[in-house]
Amino acid sequence: MTSSSASSENNRKLRLGLFVQPLGHHVSGWRLTENLGSPTDIDWLIWIAKKAEEGKFDMFFIGDALATSVYRLPSTMARLEPLTLLSALAVQTRHIGLAATASTTFSDPFNLARSFSSLDHISHGRAAWNVVTSFSTDVARNFSRDDMPTHAERYAVAHEFLEVTFKLWEGWQEGAVQPDNASGQYFVNEKIQPVNHQGKYFQVQGPLNITRSPQGRPVIIEAGSSADGQKLAAATAEVVFTAAATLEEAQTFYRAQKQQVKDAGRNPDHVLILPGVMPIVGRTREEARETWRELNSLVDIDNGIRQLSTRFNMDLSVFPLDGPVPDVPPGEGNQSRVKLLTDLAYRENLTLRELAAIAAGSRGHRVLVGTAEDIANDFQHWLAEGGADGFNIMPAVMPEQLSLFVELVIPELRRRGLFREEYEFSTLRENLGLPEPDLNLKSYL
């Protein structure tokens, strides 16, 4: 692998992930399209993946949930299991990375290590795992549990889960497979090692029953912006998904996360930070603004209040819609997203109605409305000012906004030398400019 050359050659290129919601990320996006697909239609998802690969996106990223959404939105009520989906997409694409969310709270290290390694083999080295800790009691009830571990314990479990998974991936060393017709020996036995892990949460013998992953291990992504989430990412992540409403917020997070990576004994350049952004692309500014106005006019505020109530773990329907956003007590849920939304409300002096519309529409991420030049200006500024290494793109309307991004924004980024003309390497790790993995996980607890 020529990772050092990949890193130097692409040092200031933007990294772009496509965060896929098959019906669009805006809560009203599906109501605007004339080409509505289905979240469980494999042909529709293949089209999305191929359009993203046409644009030379680094990765196709699919989220997941292990319970039917309380929001009752079409895009969250039904979905394909991510690893099954990405395995199908792997044989329909050739270059784009394939990333899936999987929970350490409701999974097993052996099975997940095997599944992601299988995806890496099927895709010839394009797999990535977005590591999450689940916090929903509805999910717990789907796994024969009545309660959830605390926030701190979920991250302690995640740390040990990753430790075991890394050991399983490292159990197959380079050169473990050496077929010798003369001796009849297919494997080099001493290069296949058991794990024999005995920990607080997991006891795993190993070794894994699949050969070494083409990338050494799949690329590790994490999205937690809480103190525990940042600490885990500093020790283990290679890509960090985050949300930031302003450049100043992004810079603060960027500096803090990179410093924690350095403090963990790792190279900060080997951890890429990609904030989520919902670009509303128009051929003119007025066209983009009209799309944004139309999307927001279709938002169901009652649904937005239910979403906020779930995120904030409090019933917001009892508060006046046109009054201020109430103080939110600390909880055990998605702490980072709650803080982002409440900070936005206090900074912009938003009413509860206004925050509900924004939260429902953008899912708490930054919205960028304008032409290709406007969006490229913004991306270039954030990259230059240390707010991001790239972005996780969240098209509001599918397929229209994805097509406009590929047809208008990508060429403008290329004109400025900010994005690739072609895929340079064969694996996701190389295309991201990441080195071969150090599989010796350092303890941070």
Side-chain angles (χ1 to χ4, degrees), residues 281-283 287 399-410:
V281 187
R283 290 179 175 82
E287 179 181 285
E400 288 84 353
Q401 283 294 311
L402 173 58
S403 294
L404 285 172
F405 192 92
V406 170
E407 293 162 15
L408 300 178
V409 180
I410 293 292

Side-chain angles (χ1 to χ4, degrees), residues 121-361:
H121 280 280
I122 293 168
S123 65
H124 302 293
R126 295 184 283 135
W129 172 21
N130 179 44
V131 180
V132 300
T133 68
S134 302
F135 60 89
S136 167
T137 54
D138 288 325
V139 174
R141 294 184 185 114
N142 285 341
F143 287 82
S144 305
R145 294 173 62 171
D146 294 324
D147 60 349
M148 285 292 297
T150 65
H151 185 272
E153 187 176 16
R154 291 202 311 272
Y155 275 95
V157 171
H159 175 267
E160 188 178 334
F161 194 113
L162 282 163
E163 183 178 0
V164 176
T165 307
F166 287 7
K167 287 178 180 178
L168 286 165
W169 283 327
E170 181 62 8
W172 284 77
Q173 300 171 18
E174 290 284 2
V177 180
Q178 294 186 22
D180 186 333
N181 290 341
S183 68
Q185 194 78 15
Y186 191 87
F187 298 109
V188 180
N189 291 334
E190 58 267 26
K191 290 182 177 290
I192 306 170
Q193 298 297 325
V195 170
N196 294 325
H197 177 88
Q198 297 291 322
K200 180 177 180 180
Y201 302 104
F202 303 106
Q203 295 77 46
V204 181
Q205 175 180 287
L208 205 60
N209 58 345
I210 187 169
T211 57
R212 186 177 181 85
S213 169
Q215 296 185 99
R217 69 162 181 242
V219 172
I220 300 298
I221 305 169
E222 291 170 32
S225 296
S226 66
D228 287 331
Q230 285 189 262
K231 200 172 183 182
L232 182 66
T236 61
E238 296 164 297
V239 176
V240 174
F241 290 158
T242 186
T246 67
L247 176 58
E248 292 72 23
E249 286 180 18
Q251 289 169 322
T252 298
F253 178 84
Y254 188 96
R255 288 192 295 266
Q257 184 67 80
K258 295 277 187 172
Q259 184 59 51
Q260 288 199 48
V261 172
K262 185 177 181 180
D263 293 343
R266 302 173 62 206
N267 185 339
D269 292 337
H270 296 164
V271 178
L272 305 173
I273 297 178
L274 308 184
V277 61
M278 181 185 287
I280 308 296
V281 187
R283 290 179 175 82
T284 65
R285 288 179 183 170
E286 183 51 38
E287 179 181 285
R289 289 170 184 155
E290 179 57 31
T291 298
W292 183 233
R293 282 194 294 267
E294 191 170 2
L295 282 166
N296 287 333
S297 73
L298 297 172
V299 171
D300 178 351
I301 292 299
D302 289 341
N303 188 286
I305 291 296
R306 289 197 297 273
Q307 288 196 45
L308 278 184
S309 297
T310 300
R311 286 197 185 279
F312 291 2
N313 196 29
M314 60 187 293
D315 182 7
L316 296 175
S317 66
V318 301
F319 296 93
L321 275 175
D322 295 308
V325 175
D327 292 332
V328 181
E332 290 291 340
N334 192 340
Q335 296 178 3
S336 56
R337 191 58 54 83
V338 169
K339 185 178 187 304
L340 184 142
L341 288 168
T342 52
D343 285 352
L344 174 65
Y346 302 150
R347 182 176 61 251
E348 302 292 336
N349 197 29
L350 299 176
T351 65
L352 181 58
R353 183 193 302 274
E354 291 169 329
L355 184 65
I358 291 172

